[in-house]
Amino acid sequence: MADNNVSPSFPTTRPRRLRANPLVRELVRETSLDAGDFILPLFVRTGHGIRQEISSMPGNYQLSLDRLNDEVAEAKELGIRSFILFGIPATKDATGSSALRDDGIVQQAIRTMREQFQRDILILTDECFCEYTNHGHCGILHEKTGRTDVDNDATLPILVQQCVSHAEAGADMIAPSGMMDGMVGAIRSGLDEAGFSDLPIMSYAAKYASGFYGPFREAAESPPQFGDRGGYQMDPANGDEALREVALDINEGADIVMVKPALSYLDIIRRVKDRFAIPVAAYNVSGEFAMVKAAARNGWIDERRVTLEILTSIKRAGADIILTYHAKDAARWLKTG
Ligand code: PBG
């Protein structure tokens, strides 16, 4: 940062000189948004002819495979190239076994998208088990000191299997979100052994145990059936710990690190960006999205203005990439000015 003391004070210095003319404002603008910054989350489910709007996430849908590519085409038309897939499987069990099947919902979705759009789009896959387990937790459970908890080390091998299966189906990037210790290292070696040493990993490195995931859990039909995720996701009160999590993931081979959620954690995004020379992603999560939509529907805020301000703030904080349900709206607004 430049030293502000070098500039003379008022009346020699008048910051308003650079604000009076909109064209000058444009010249000196520090942060810009582009549809190429966005990753659009998509929810795919089994069935036919389904395009079911998620009530708490207007403009976002549960899609069956036959309706998926229309949604991708619409987003692509607006300039969005990157998509992250979440699956709602037909069946759930204690170990989330439907996540590992070659004909699993996400595996089929990858192939469906790839067939039509080939290399014109980027397909990312969220790697976790909460959508596939009947208990809604992010891995296999065990009893430990009288508490039921996710068994970290037993979950790693099935997580690796899930990633390899998505890689084989044609995923372009792997995004593990379960906050298991050692997950990035295990996935990196599993992918390498399976011949996918060039496949990048975007790790949900600093993922907080957040109330802002509420609408997503409705969308993905994945709320935990007992307890919460505080045993593996981070305490919202902690900042230094996020830097430790990010450092571990980079050491284990993460190519991109994510902070999630975004808005209550802009300070974390900035600290990660300042500390590590690595691309940073931020997940503008479902609850953050729903609040904007709800307030806008009540006429309490200007949706376009607030959305673009929020997305700009996430970039200004240091994010290079934004996962957001606003992607289509924002891309449309950026296009039409
Ligand atoms: C876990 C996962 C979650 C989200 C993305 N991946 C849910 C959770 O951790 O409970 C939340 C995203 C959002 O709220 O938009 N598979």
Side-chain angles (χ1 to χ4, degrees):
M1 270 298 245
D3 182 359
N4 283 328
N5 295 326
V6 298
S7 58
S9 54
F10 178 82
T12 313
T13 295
R14 290 179 179 271
R16 289 182 58 186
R17 280 188 205 118
L18 298 184
R19 293 185 200 136
N21 180 338
L23 297 178
V24 175
R25 288 205 296 272
E26 194 176 322
L27 270 184
V28 301
R29 186 162 296 140
E30 297 174 35
T31 310
S32 63
L33 273 182
D34 186 274
D37 304 326
F38 304 145
I39 299 176
L40 176 65
L42 294 174
F43 298 94
V44 288
R45 66 171 311 138
T46 49
H48 255 274
I50 298 169
R51 184 172 191 260
Q52 171 77 38
E53 188 166 31
I54 300 152
S55 61
S56 53
M57 300 170 66
N60 289 266
Y61 304 84
Q62 288 187 347
L63 300 159
S64 55
L65 293 173
D66 57 328
R67 303 296 295 273
L68 175 60
N69 280 347
D70 285 349
E71 183 71 13
V72 173
E74 187 191 326
K76 187 166 165 283
E77 198 57 38
L78 295 165
I80 297 159
R81 298 303 193 98
S82 301
F83 302 87
I84 185 161
L85 291 173
F86 296 94
I88 303 136
T91 58
K92 303 187 187 221
D93 60 22
T95 60
S97 64
S98 60
L100 309 179
R101 299 167 59 109
D102 189 43
D103 63 352
I105 183 66
V106 166
Q107 288 84 344
Q108 289 192 60
I110 297 166
R111 294 195 177 96
T112 302
M113 290 164 72
R114 184 64 75 213
E115 199 182 338
Q116 181 165 336
F117 301 101
Q118 286 148 34
R119 295 287 150 194
D120 290 344
I121 59 168
L122 205 68
I123 305 172
L124 294 87
T125 47
D126 179 87
E127 309 294 344
C128 193
F129 286 92
C130 57
E131 294 124 62
Y132 304 91
T133 52
N134 50 18
H135 45 73
H137 281 283
C138 299
I140 296 175
L141 299 180
H142 66 166
E143 288 289 331
K144 214 174 175 185
T145 56
R147 253 178 339 106
T148 307
D149 197 7
V150 174
D151 186 339
N152 191 90
D153 298 10
T155 299
L156 294 180
I158 58 167
L159 189 57
V160 171
Q161 277 183 54
Q162 183 184 33
C163 295
V164 170
S165 175
H166 291 163
E168 284 169 346
D172 294 302
M173 199 183 294
I174 296 298
S177 68
M179 288 299 280
M180 294 301 120
D181 293 335
M183 68 181 184
V184 174
I187 292 168
R188 184 70 275 158
S189 34
L191 288 173
D192 291 357
E193 274 165 35
F196 296 103
S197 53
D198 292 331
L199 202 64
I201 297 174
M202 177 171 78
S203 175
Y204 287 66
K207 177 175 176 178
Y208 286 87
S210 171
F212 288 102
Y213 306 151
F216 172 93
R217 290 177 185 173
E218 175 208 331
E221 300 179 9
S222 64
Q225 298 303 306
F226 63 89
D228 58 28
R229 303 209 206 289
Y232 37 103
Q233 299 179 349
M234 281 181 54
D235 184 338
N238 295 353
D240 293 347
E241 187 188 353
L243 301 182
R244 221 154 50 232
E245 280 281 6
V246 167
L248 282 166
D249 283 8
I250 294 172
N251 278 330
E252 290 176 28
D255 302 284
I256 299 174
V257 291
M258 192 198 299
V259 175
K260 177 185 171 191
L263 292 184
S264 288
Y265 302 88
L266 293 176
D267 58 325
I268 308 300
I269 296 172
R270 171 47 56 193
R271 288 177 71 184
V272 169
K273 190 64 191 172
D274 284 345
R275 176 80 69 98
F276 302 99
I278 189 168
V280 176
Y283 203 138
N284 176 211
V285 300
S286 58
E288 299 172 334
F289 173 81
M291 292 195 302
V292 172
K293 285 285 178 186
R297 287 193 162 189
N298 276 300
W300 293 340
I301 55 168
D302 174 339
E303 183 181 350
R304 178 185 181 282
R305 191 169 169 189
V306 166
T307 301
L308 294 176
E309 186 173 334
I310 283 174
L311 295 172
T312 301
S313 75
I314 296 169
K315 270 201 92 178
R316 194 197 60 235
D320 303 289
I321 300 163
I322 306 174
L323 295 89
T324 179
Y325 307 98
H326 293 292
K328 281 195 302 175
D329 288 336
R332 201 175 291 118
W333 291 323
L334 290 170
K335 222 174 181 171
T336 56

